[in-house]
């Protein structure tokens, strides 16, 4: 049986957006990203397993889930989303 996650929701302001994420475990960092139209919840069963060996971060991309929603379409670019994830991992 796969354990359910116990990681609490956290948010961090990066690049003018509030990014929601869960983090658990210790070790080398692993960033798990969702696709369209999912959210970080898609990793809820895998993250705890990986957290046995890694620091696992599951983030909602801007505009998805519990992260803030940009006001304009250009702010939803993949380039902006990638920059958010870089800033999140460097924080």
């Amino acid at each position: 049986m796969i354990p359910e996650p116990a990681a609490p929701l956290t948010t961090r302001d990066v690049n003018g957006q509030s990014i929601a994420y869960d983090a658990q475990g210790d070790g080398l960092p692993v960033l798990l990203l969702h696709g369209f139209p999912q959210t970080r919840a898609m990793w809820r069963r895998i993250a705890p397993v990986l957290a046995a060996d890694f620091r696992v971060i599951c983030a909602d991309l801007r505009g998805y889930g519990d992260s803030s929603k940009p006001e304009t379409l250009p702010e939803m670019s993949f380039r902006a989303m990638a920059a958010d994830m870089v800033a999140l991992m460097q924080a």
Side-chain angles (χ1 to χ4, degrees):
M1 180 174 206
I2 299 173
E4 289 296 320
L9 169 67
T10 307
T11 59
R12 183 169 306 271
D13 291 333
V14 296
N15 302 326
Q17 299 296 315
S18 177
I19 301 299
Y21 68 97
D22 303 324
Q24 55 189 307
D26 293 308
L28 294 173
V30 175
L31 175 63
L32 301 178
L33 299 175
H34 61 82
F36 174 81
Q38 292 89 13
T39 67
R40 72 185 187 285
M42 70 178 287
W43 300 111
R44 73 183 178 277
R45 293 188 178 199
I46 285 293
V49 175
L50 293 172
D53 298 307
F54 300 97
R55 176 76 173 154
V56 180
I57 298 96
C58 302
D60 282 334
L61 296 169
R62 62 170 57 198
Y64 293 87
D66 293 314
S67 289
S68 61
K69 314 310 186 245
E71 294 184 20
T72 65
L73 190 56
E75 293 176 290
M76 285 294 295
S77 72
F78 291 131
R79 191 174 303 267
M81 291 178 190
D84 293 345
M85 295 302 107
V86 170
L88 178 65
M89 295 302 286
Q90 290 176 339

Coordinates of all heavy atoms in Angstrom, one line a residue:
M1 N 0.8 -1.2 0.0 CA 0.0 0.0 0.0 C 0.9 1.2 0.0 O 1.9 1.3 0.7 CB -0.9 0.0 1.2 CG -1.8 1.2 1.3 SD -2.9 0.9 2.7 CE -4.2 1.9 2.2
I2 N 0.5 2.2 -0.8 CA 1.3 3.5 -0.9 C 0.7 4.5 0.1 O -0.5 4.7 0.2 CB 1.1 4.0 -2.3 CG1 1.7 3.0 -3.3 CG2 1.8 5.4 -2.4 CD1 1.5 3.4 -4.8
P3 N 1.6 5.1 0.9 CA 1.1 6.0 1.9 C 0.6 7.3 1.3 O 1.1 7.7 0.3 CB 2.4 6.3 2.8 CG 3.5 6.0 1.8 CD 3.0 4.9 0.9
E4 N -0.3 7.9 2.0 CA -0.8 9.2 1.6 C 0.1 10.3 2.1 O 0.8 10.1 3.1 CB -2.2 9.4 2.2 CG -3.3 8.6 1.5 CD -3.5 8.9 0.1 OE1 -3.5 10.1 -0.3 OE2 -3.7 8.0 -0.7
P5 N 0.3 11.4 1.4 CA 1.2 12.4 1.8 C 0.8 13.1 3.1 O -0.4 13.2 3.4 CB 1.2 13.4 0.6 CG -0.1 13.2 0.0 CD -0.5 11.7 0.2
A6 N 1.8 13.6 3.8 CA 1.6 14.3 5.0 C 2.1 15.7 4.9 O 2.2 16.4 5.9 CB 2.2 13.6 6.2
A7 N 2.6 16.1 3.7 CA 3.2 17.4 3.5 C 2.2 18.5 3.5 O 1.2 18.4 2.9 CB 3.9 17.4 2.2
P8 N 2.4 19.5 4.3 CA 1.5 20.7 4.4 C 1.7 21.6 3.2 O 2.8 21.7 2.6 CB 1.9 21.4 5.7 CG 3.4 21.1 5.8 CD 3.5 19.7 5.3
L9 N 0.7 22.3 2.8 CA 0.7 23.3 1.8 C 1.5 24.5 2.2 O 1.4 25.0 3.3 CB -0.7 23.7 1.4 CG -0.8 24.9 0.5 CD1 -0.2 24.6 -0.9 CD2 -2.2 25.4 0.4
T10 N 2.4 24.9 1.4 CA 3.2 26.1 1.6 C 3.1 27.0 0.4 O 2.9 26.5 -0.7 CB 4.7 25.7 1.8 OG1 4.8 24.7 2.9 CG2 5.5 26.9 2.2
T11 N 3.2 28.3 0.6 CA 3.3 29.2 -0.6 C 4.5 30.1 -0.5 O 5.0 30.3 0.6 CB 2.1 30.1 -0.7 OG1 1.9 30.9 0.5 CG2 0.8 29.3 -0.9
R12 N 5.0 30.5 -1.6 CA 6.2 31.3 -1.7 C 6.0 32.3 -2.8 O 5.5 31.9 -3.9 CB 7.5 30.6 -1.9 CG 8.7 31.5 -1.9 CD 10.0 30.7 -1.9 NE 10.1 29.8 -0.8 CZ 10.6 30.1 0.4 NH1 11.0 31.3 0.7 NH2 10.8 29.1 1.3
D13 N 6.2 33.6 -2.6 CA 6.1 34.6 -3.6 C 7.4 34.7 -4.5 O 8.5 34.9 -3.9 CB 5.9 36.0 -3.0 CG 4.5 36.1 -2.3 OD1 3.6 35.4 -2.8 OD2 4.3 36.9 -1.4
V14 N 7.2 34.4 -5.7 CA 8.3 34.4 -6.7 C 7.8 35.1 -8.0 O 6.7 34.9 -8.4 CB 8.8 33.0 -7.0 CG1 9.5 32.4 -5.8 CG2 7.8 32.1 -7.6
N15 N 8.6 36.0 -8.5 CA 8.3 36.7 -9.8 C 6.9 37.3 -9.8 O 6.2 37.3 -10.8 CB 8.5 35.7 -10.9 CG 9.9 35.2 -11.0 OD1 10.8 35.8 -10.7 ND2 10.0 33.9 -11.4
G16 N 6.4 37.8 -8.6 CA 5.1 38.5 -8.6 C 4.0 37.5 -8.5 O 2.8 38.0 -8.6
Q17 N 4.2 36.3 -8.3 CA 3.2 35.3 -8.2 C 3.3 34.5 -6.8 O 4.4 34.3 -6.3 CB 3.2 34.2 -9.3 CG 3.0 34.8 -10.7 CD 1.7 35.5 -10.9 OE1 0.7 34.9 -10.5 NE2 1.6 36.7 -11.4
S18 N 2.2 34.0 -6.3 CA 2.3 33.2 -5.1 C 2.2 31.7 -5.6 O 1.2 31.3 -6.2 CB 1.1 33.5 -4.2 OG 1.0 32.6 -3.1
I19 N 3.3 31.0 -5.4 CA 3.3 29.6 -5.9 C 3.1 28.7 -4.7 O 3.8 28.7 -3.7 CB 4.7 29.3 -6.5 CG1 5.0 30.3 -7.7 CG2 4.8 27.9 -6.9 CD1 4.0 30.2 -8.8
A20 N 2.1 27.8 -4.9 CA 1.7 26.8 -3.8 C 2.6 25.6 -4.1 O 2.7 25.1 -5.2 CB 0.3 26.5 -3.9
Y21 N 3.1 25.0 -3.0 CA 3.8 23.7 -3.2 C 3.8 22.9 -1.9 O 3.5 23.4 -0.8 CB 5.3 24.0 -3.6 CG 6.1 24.7 -2.5 CD1 6.9 24.0 -1.7 CD2 6.0 26.1 -2.3 CE1 7.7 24.7 -0.7 CE2 6.8 26.8 -1.4 CZ 7.6 26.0 -0.5 OH 8.3 26.6 0.4
D22 N 4.1 21.7 -2.0 CA 4.3 20.7 -0.9 C 5.7 20.3 -0.9 O 6.3 20.1 -2.0 CB 3.4 19.5 -1.0 CG 2.0 19.8 -1.1 OD1 1.5 20.7 -0.5 OD2 1.3 19.0 -1.9
A23 N 6.4 20.2 0.2 CA 7.8 19.7 0.3 C 7.9 18.7 1.4 O 7.3 18.9 2.5 CB 8.7 20.9 0.5
Q24 N 8.6 17.6 1.1 CA 8.8 16.6 2.1 C 10.1 15.8 1.8 O 10.6 15.8 0.7 CB 7.6 15.6 2.2 CG 7.2 15.0 0.9 CD 5.9 14.3 1.0 OE1 5.7 13.4 1.9 NE2 5.0 14.6 0.1
G25 N 10.6 15.2 2.9 CA 11.8 14.4 2.7 C 13.1 15.1 2.9 O 13.1 16.4 3.0
D26 N 14.2 14.4 2.8 CA 15.6 15.0 2.9 C 16.4 14.4 1.8 O 16.1 13.3 1.4 CB 16.2 14.7 4.3 CG 15.5 15.4 5.4 OD1 15.3 16.6 5.3 OD2 15.1 14.8 6.4
G27 N 17.4 15.1 1.4 CA 18.3 14.6 0.4 C 18.4 15.5 -0.8 O 18.0 16.7 -0.7
L28 N 18.8 15.0 -1.9 CA 18.9 15.8 -3.1 C 17.4 16.2 -3.6 O 16.5 15.4 -3.4 CB 19.5 15.0 -4.3 CG 21.0 14.7 -4.1 CD1 21.4 13.7 -5.2 CD2 21.8 15.9 -4.1
P29 N 17.3 17.4 -4.0 CA 15.9 17.9 -4.4 C 15.4 17.3 -5.7 O 16.2 17.1 -6.7 CB 16.1 19.4 -4.5 CG 17.6 19.6 -4.9 CD 18.3 18.5 -4.2
V30 N 14.1 17.0 -5.7 CA 13.4 16.5 -6.9 C 12.2 17.4 -7.0 O 11.4 17.4 -6.1 CB 13.1 15.0 -6.8 CG1 12.2 14.6 -8.0 CG2 14.3 14.2 -6.7
L31 N 12.0 18.1 -8.2 CA 10.9 18.9 -8.4 C 9.9 18.2 -9.3 O 10.3 17.8 -10.5 CB 11.3 20.2 -9.1 CG 10.2 21.2 -9.5 CD1 9.4 21.7 -8.3 CD2 10.8 22.4 -10.3
L32 N 8.7 17.9 -8.9 CA 7.7 17.2 -9.6 C 6.7 18.3 -10.1 O 6.1 19.0 -9.4 CB 7.0 16.2 -8.8 CG 7.9 15.1 -8.2 CD1 7.0 14.1 -7.3 CD2 8.6 14.3 -9.3
L33 N 6.5 18.3 -11.5 CA 5.6 19.3 -12.1 C 4.4 18.5 -12.7 O 4.6 17.5 -13.3 CB 6.3 20.1 -13.1 CG 7.5 20.9 -12.6 CD1 8.2 21.6 -13.8 CD2 7.0 21.9 -11.6
H34 N 3.3 19.2 -12.7 CA 2.1 18.6 -13.3 C 1.9 19.1 -14.7 O 2.6 20.1 -15.2 CB 0.8 19.0 -12.5 CG 0.6 20.5 -12.4 ND1 0.0 21.2 -13.4 CD2 1.0 21.4 -11.5 CE1 0.0 22.5 -13.1 NE2 0.6 22.7 -11.9
G35 N 1.1 18.5 -15.5 CA 0.8 18.9 -16.9 C -0.6 19.6 -16.9 O -1.2 19.9 -15.8
F36 N -1.0 20.0 -18.0 CA -2.3 20.6 -18.2 C -3.4 19.5 -18.3 O -3.2 18.5 -19.0 CB -2.4 21.4 -19.5 CG -3.7 21.9 -19.9 CD1 -4.1 23.1 -19.3 CD2 -4.5 21.3 -20.8 CE1 -5.4 23.6 -19.6 CE2 -5.8 21.8 -21.1 CZ -6.2 23.0 -20.5
P37 N -4.5 19.6 -17.6 CA -4.9 20.6 -16.6 C -4.8 20.2 -15.2 O -5.6 20.5 -14.4 CB -6.4 20.7 -17.0 CG -6.8 19.3 -17.3 CD -5.6 18.7 -18.0
Q38 N -3.8 19.4 -14.8 CA -3.7 18.9 -13.5 C -3.1 19.9 -12.5 O -2.9 21.0 -12.9 CB -2.8 17.6 -13.5 CG -3.3 16.4 -14.2 CD -3.0 16.4 -15.6 OE1 -2.1 17.1 -16.1 NE2 -3.7 15.5 -16.4
T39 N -2.9 19.4 -11.3 CA -2.3 20.2 -10.2 C -1.3 19.4 -9.5 O -1.1 18.2 -9.9 CB -3.3 20.7 -9.2 OG1 -3.8 19.6 -8.4 CG2 -4.5 21.5 -9.8
R40 N -0.6 19.9 -8.5 CA 0.4 19.1 -7.7 C -0.2 17.9 -7.1 O 0.5 17.0 -6.7 CB 1.1 20.0 -6.7 CG 0.2 20.4 -5.5 CD 0.9 21.3 -4.6 NE 0.1 21.5 -3.4 CZ -1.0 22.2 -3.4 NH1 -1.5 22.9 -4.4 NH2 -1.7 22.3 -2.2
A41 N -1.6 17.9 -6.9 CA -2.2 16.7 -6.3 C -2.0 15.4 -7.1 O -2.1 14.4 -6.5 CB -3.7 17.0 -6.2
M42 N -1.6 15.5 -8.4 CA -1.4 14.3 -9.1 C -0.2 13.5 -8.6 O -0.1 12.3 -8.8 CB -1.2 14.6 -10.6 CG 0.1 15.3 -10.9 SD 0.4 15.6 -12.7 CE 0.7 13.9 -13.3
W43 N 0.6 14.1 -7.8 CA 1.8 13.4 -7.2 C 1.6 12.9 -5.8 O 2.5 12.4 -5.2 CB 3.0 14.4 -7.2 CG 3.4 14.8 -8.6 CD1 3.2 16.1 -9.1 CD2 3.9 14.1 -9.6 NE1 3.7 16.2 -10.4 CE2 4.1 14.9 -10.7 CE3 4.3 12.7 -9.7 CZ2 4.6 14.5 -11.9 CZ3 4.8 12.3 -10.9 CH2 5.0 13.1 -12.0
R44 N 0.3 13.0 -5.3 CA 0.1 12.7 -3.9 C 0.5 11.3 -3.4 O 0.7 11.1 -2.3 CB -1.3 13.1 -3.5 CG -2.4 12.1 -4.0 CD -3.8 12.5 -3.7 NE -4.8 11.6 -4.2 CZ -5.2 11.7 -5.5 NH1 -4.8 12.6 -6.3 NH2 -6.1 10.8 -5.9
R45 N 0.5 10.4 -4.3 CA 0.8 9.0 -3.9 C 2.3 8.7 -4.2 O 2.8 7.8 -3.6 CB -0.1 8.0 -4.6 CG -1.5 8.1 -4.2 CD -2.4 7.1 -4.7 NE -3.7 7.3 -4.1 CZ -4.6 6.3 -4.1 NH1 -4.4 5.1 -4.5 NH2 -5.8 6.6 -3.5
I46 N 2.9 9.3 -5.1 CA 4.3 9.1 -5.5 C 5.2 9.8 -4.6 O 6.3 9.3 -4.2 CB 4.5 9.4 -7.0 CG1 3.9 8.3 -7.9 CG2 6.0 9.6 -7.3 CD1 4.6 7.0 -7.8
A47 N 4.9 11.1 -4.3 CA 5.8 12.0 -3.5 C 6.3 11.3 -2.2 O 7.5 11.4 -1.9 CB 5.2 13.3 -3.3
P48 N 5.4 10.7 -1.4 CA 5.9 10.2 -0.1 C 6.9 9.0 -0.4 O 7.8 8.8 0.5 CB 4.6 9.7 0.5 CG 3.5 10.4 -0.1 CD 3.9 10.7 -1.5
V49 N 6.7 8.3 -1.4 CA 7.6 7.2 -1.7 C 9.0 7.7 -2.1 O 10.0 7.3 -1.6 CB 7.1 6.3 -2.9 CG1 8.1 5.2 -3.2 CG2 5.7 5.7 -2.4
L50 N 9.0 8.8 -2.9 CA 10.3 9.4 -3.3 C 10.9 10.1 -2.1 O 12.2 10.2 -2.0 CB 10.1 10.4 -4.4 CG 9.7 9.8 -5.8 CD1 9.3 10.9 -6.8 CD2 10.8 8.9 -6.3
A51 N 10.1 10.6 -1.2 CA 10.6 11.4 0.0 C 11.4 10.5 0.9 O 12.1 11.0 1.8 CB 9.5 12.0 0.7
A52 N 11.4 9.2 0.8 CA 12.2 8.3 1.6 C 13.7 8.6 1.3 O 14.6 8.3 2.1 CB 11.8 6.9 1.4
D53 N 14.0 9.0 0.0 CA 15.4 9.2 -0.4 C 15.7 10.6 -0.9 O 16.9 10.9 -1.1 CB 15.7 8.2 -1.5 CG 15.6 6.8 -1.1 OD1 16.2 6.4 -0.1 OD2 14.8 6.0 -1.8
F54 N 14.7 11.4 -1.1 CA 14.9 12.7 -1.7 C 14.1 13.8 -1.0 O 13.2 13.5 -0.3 CB 14.5 12.7 -3.2 CG 15.3 11.8 -4.1 CD1 14.7 10.5 -4.3 CD2 16.5 12.1 -4.6 CE1 15.4 9.6 -5.1 CE2 17.2 11.1 -5.4 CZ 16.6 9.9 -5.6
R55 N 14.5 15.1 -1.3 CA 13.7 16.2 -0.9 C 12.7 16.4 -2.1 O 13.2 16.8 -3.1 CB 14.6 17.4 -0.6 CG 13.8 18.7 -0.3 CD 13.3 18.7 1.1 NE 12.7 20.0 1.4 CZ 11.8 20.1 2.4 NH1 11.4 19.0 3.0 NH2 11.3 21.2 2.6
V56 N 11.5 16.2 -1.9 CA 10.5 16.2 -3.0 C 9.7 17.5 -2.9 O 9.0 17.7 -1.8 CB 9.6 15.0 -3.0 CG1 8.6 15.0 -4.1 CG2 10.4 13.7 -3.0
I57 N 9.6 18.2 -4.0 CA 8.8 19.5 -4.0 C 7.8 19.3 -5.2 O 8.2 19.0 -6.3 CB 9.7 20.7 -4.3 CG1 10.7 20.9 -3.2 CG2 8.9 21.9 -4.5 CD1 12.1 20.3 -3.5
C58 N 6.5 19.4 -4.8 CA 5.4 19.3 -5.8 C 4.8 20.7 -5.8 O 4.2 21.1 -4.8 CB 4.4 18.3 -5.3 SG 5.1 16.6 -5.1
A59 N 4.9 21.4 -7.0 CA 4.4 22.7 -7.1 C 3.2 22.8 -8.0 O 3.1 22.1 -9.0 CB 5.5 23.6 -7.5
D60 N 2.3 23.8 -7.7 CA 1.3 24.2 -8.7 C 1.9 25.3 -9.6 O 2.4 26.3 -9.0 CB 0.1 24.7 -8.0 CG -0.8 23.7 -7.4 OD1 -0.8 22.5 -7.9 OD2 -1.6 24.0 -6.5
L61 N 1.9 25.1 -10.9 CA 2.4 26.2 -11.7 C 1.4 27.4 -11.6 O 0.3 27.3 -11.2 CB 2.4 25.7 -13.2 CG 3.3 24.5 -13.5 CD1 3.1 24.0 -14.9 CD2 4.8 25.0 -13.4
R62 N 1.9 28.6 -12.0 CA 1.1 29.8 -11.9 C -0.2 29.5 -12.7 O -0.1 28.9 -13.8 CB 1.8 31.0 -12.4 CG 2.3 30.9 -13.8 CD 2.8 32.2 -14.4 NE 3.9 32.8 -13.6 CZ 4.3 34.1 -13.8 NH1 3.7 34.9 -14.6 NH2 5.3 34.6 -13.1
G63 N -1.3 30.0 -12.2 CA -2.6 29.8 -12.9 C -3.3 28.5 -12.6 O -4.4 28.3 -13.0
Y64 N -2.6 27.6 -11.8 CA -3.2 26.3 -11.5 C -3.3 26.1 -10.0 O -2.5 26.6 -9.2 CB -2.3 25.2 -12.1 CG -2.2 25.1 -13.6 CD1 -1.3 25.9 -14.3 CD2 -3.1 24.3 -14.3 CE1 -1.2 25.9 -15.6 CE2 -3.0 24.3 -15.7 CZ -2.1 25.1 -16.4 OH -2.0 25.0 -17.7
G65 N -4.3 25.2 -9.6 CA -4.4 24.8 -8.2 C -4.5 26.0 -7.3 O -5.3 26.9 -7.5
D66 N -3.6 25.9 -6.3 CA -3.6 27.0 -5.2 C -2.6 28.1 -5.5 O -2.5 29.0 -4.6 CB -3.3 26.3 -3.9 CG -4.4 25.4 -3.4 OD1 -5.6 25.8 -3.5 OD2 -4.1 24.3 -3.0
S67 N -2.0 28.1 -6.6 CA -1.1 29.2 -7.0 C -1.9 30.3 -7.5 O -3.1 30.2 -7.9 CB -0.1 28.7 -8.0 OG 0.9 27.9 -7.5
S68 N -1.3 31.5 -7.5 CA -2.1 32.7 -7.9 C -2.3 32.6 -9.5 O -1.6 32.0 -10.2 CB -1.3 34.0 -7.6 OG -0.1 34.0 -8.2
K69 N -3.3 33.4 -9.9 CA -3.7 33.4 -11.3 C -3.3 34.7 -11.9 O -3.8 35.8 -11.5 CB -5.2 33.2 -11.4 CG -5.9 32.2 -10.6 CD -5.3 30.8 -10.7 CE -6.1 29.8 -10.0 NZ -5.5 29.2 -8.8
P70 N -2.4 34.7 -12.9 CA -2.0 35.9 -13.6 C -3.2 36.6 -14.2 O -4.2 35.9 -14.6 CB -1.0 35.5 -14.6 CG -0.5 34.2 -14.1 CD -1.6 33.6 -13.4
E71 N -3.1 37.9 -14.4 CA -4.2 38.7 -15.0 C -4.2 38.7 -16.5 O -5.2 38.9 -17.1 CB -4.2 40.1 -14.4 CG -4.5 40.1 -12.9 CD -4.6 41.5 -12.4 OE1 -4.8 42.5 -13.2 OE2 -4.5 41.7 -11.2
T72 N -3.0 38.5 -17.1 CA -2.9 38.6 -18.6 C -2.4 37.3 -19.2 O -1.7 36.5 -18.5 CB -2.0 39.7 -19.0 OG1 -0.7 39.5 -18.6 CG2 -2.5 41.1 -18.4
L73 N -2.7 37.0 -20.4 CA -2.3 35.8 -21.1 C -0.8 35.7 -21.2 O -0.2 34.6 -21.0 CB -3.0 35.7 -22.4 CG -2.8 34.3 -23.1 CD1 -3.3 33.2 -22.3 CD2 -3.6 34.3 -24.4
P74 N -0.1 36.8 -21.5 CA 1.4 36.7 -21.6 C 2.1 36.2 -20.3 O 3.1 35.6 -20.3 CB 1.8 38.1 -22.0 CG 0.7 38.7 -22.7 CD -0.5 38.1 -22.0
E75 N 1.4 36.5 -19.2 CA 2.0 36.1 -17.9 C 1.8 34.6 -17.7 O 2.3 34.0 -16.7 CB 1.3 36.8 -16.8 CG 1.6 38.3 -16.7 CD 0.8 39.0 -15.6 OE1 -0.5 39.1 -15.8 OE2 1.4 39.4 -14.6
M76 N 1.1 33.9 -18.6 CA 0.9 32.4 -18.5 C 1.9 31.7 -19.4 O 1.6 30.5 -19.6 CB -0.5 32.1 -18.8 CG -1.5 32.4 -17.7 SD -1.3 31.5 -16.2 CE -1.7 29.8 -16.8
S77 N 2.9 32.3 -19.9 CA 3.8 31.6 -20.8 C 4.6 30.5 -20.1 O 4.8 30.6 -18.9 CB 4.8 32.6 -21.4 OG 5.7 33.1 -20.5
F78 N 5.0 29.5 -20.9 CA 5.8 28.5 -20.3 C 7.2 29.0 -19.8 O 7.7 28.5 -18.8 CB 6.1 27.4 -21.3 CG 4.9 26.6 -21.7 CD1 4.6 26.4 -23.0 CD2 4.1 26.1 -20.7 CE1 3.4 25.6 -23.4 CE2 2.9 25.3 -21.0 CZ 2.6 25.1 -22.4
R79 N 7.7 30.1 -20.4 CA 8.9 30.7 -20.0 C 8.7 31.3 -18.6 O 9.6 31.1 -17.7 CB 9.3 31.8 -21.0 CG 10.7 32.3 -20.8 CD 11.1 33.3 -21.9 NE 11.0 32.7 -23.2 CZ 12.0 32.1 -23.8 NH1 13.2 32.0 -23.2 NH2 11.9 31.5 -25.0
A80 N 7.6 32.0 -18.4 CA 7.3 32.5 -17.0 C 7.1 31.4 -16.0 O 7.6 31.5 -14.9 CB 6.1 33.4 -17.1
M81 N 6.5 30.3 -16.4 CA 6.3 29.2 -15.4 C 7.6 28.6 -15.1 O 7.9 28.3 -13.9 CB 5.4 28.2 -16.1 CG 3.9 28.6 -16.2 SD 3.0 27.3 -17.0 CE 1.5 28.1 -17.3
A82 N 8.5 28.5 -16.1 CA 9.8 27.9 -15.8 C 10.6 28.8 -14.9 O 11.3 28.3 -13.9 CB 10.6 27.7 -17.1
A83 N 10.6 30.1 -15.1 CA 11.3 31.1 -14.3 C 10.8 31.0 -12.8 O 11.6 31.1 -11.9 CB 11.1 32.5 -14.8
D84 N 9.5 30.8 -12.6 CA 8.9 30.6 -11.3 C 9.5 29.4 -10.6 O 9.9 29.5 -9.4 CB 7.4 30.4 -11.3 CG 6.6 31.6 -11.8 OD1 7.2 32.7 -11.8 OD2 5.4 31.4 -12.1
M85 N 9.6 28.3 -11.3 CA 10.2 27.1 -10.7 C 11.6 27.2 -10.4 O 12.1 26.7 -9.3 CB 9.9 25.9 -11.6 CG 8.4 25.5 -11.8 SD 7.5 25.2 -10.3 CE 6.5 26.7 -10.1
V86 N 12.4 27.9 -11.2 CA 13.8 28.1 -10.9 C 13.9 29.0 -9.6 O 14.7 28.7 -8.7 CB 14.5 28.8 -12.1 CG1 15.9 29.3 -11.7 CG2 14.6 27.9 -13.3
A87 N 13.1 30.0 -9.6 CA 13.1 30.9 -8.4 C 12.7 30.1 -7.1 O 13.2 30.3 -6.0 CB 12.2 32.1 -8.6
L88 N 11.7 29.3 -7.3 CA 11.2 28.5 -6.1 C 12.3 27.6 -5.6 O 12.6 27.5 -4.4 CB 10.0 27.7 -6.5 CG 9.4 26.7 -5.5 CD1 8.9 27.6 -4.3 CD2 8.4 25.8 -6.0
M89 N 13.0 26.9 -6.5 CA 14.1 26.0 -6.1 C 15.3 26.7 -5.5 O 16.0 26.1 -4.7 CB 14.5 25.1 -7.3 CG 13.4 24.2 -7.8 SD 12.7 23.1 -6.5 CE 14.1 21.9 -6.4
Q90 N 15.5 28.0 -5.9 CA 16.6 28.7 -5.4 C 16.3 29.4 -4.1 O 17.2 29.8 -3.4 CB 17.1 29.8 -6.4 CG 17.7 29.2 -7.6 CD 18.1 30.2 -8.7 OE1 17.5 31.3 -8.7 NE2 19.0 29.8 -9.6
A91 N 15.0 29.5 -3.7 CA 14.6 30.1 -2.5 C 15.0 29.3 -1.3 O 15.1 28.1 -1.3 CB 13.1 30.4 -2.5

